[in-house]
Amino acid sequence: INSYPQSPFVPFALYGAGWADLQAKRFAEASVSFATLLEKHPESTLKLDATLAKASAERQAGKPDAALADLEAALKSELPPE
């Protein structure tokens, strides 16, 4: 990710890193990966999935208010094109 920040694969790498952290129960790190994807790649087709995964990470990190905010954002977001 750091070596090729302009690569079109960066959103996928961030998403994968987030899920790897979730599986390892590193919820704060997972949340950061998903948040970075959402902040730096708002047009990504992974936007909705990353928002929901971030909500899961926040909930498991004991941050229910942040998780709820993520879920509300997911409900308000547009679905990516198919």
Side-chain angles (χ1 to χ4, degrees):
I1 296 170
N2 294 330
S3 298
Y4 301 98
Q6 301 303 318
S7 169
F9 299 108
V10 168
F12 298 97
L14 288 166
Y15 188 74
W19 272 106
D21 285 330
L22 271 178
Q23 294 295 316
K25 300 188 185 315
R26 294 187 300 258
F27 305 121
E29 292 88 344
S31 182
V32 169
S33 291
F34 296 127
T36 301
L37 189 163
L38 294 166
E39 179 184 323
K40 296 190 181 219
H41 305 279
E43 74 292 341
S44 173
T45 58
L46 294 171
K47 180 179 179 178
L48 180 58
D49 293 328
T51 303
L52 294 172
K54 183 173 178 283
S56 177
E58 296 285 5
R59 183 188 61 79
Q60 293 180 77
K63 299 179 180 179
D65 292 339
L68 184 58
D70 291 332
L71 292 173
E72 288 173 349
L75 288 172
K76 293 177 184 174
S77 69
E78 292 183 27
L79 294 175
E82 291 185 28

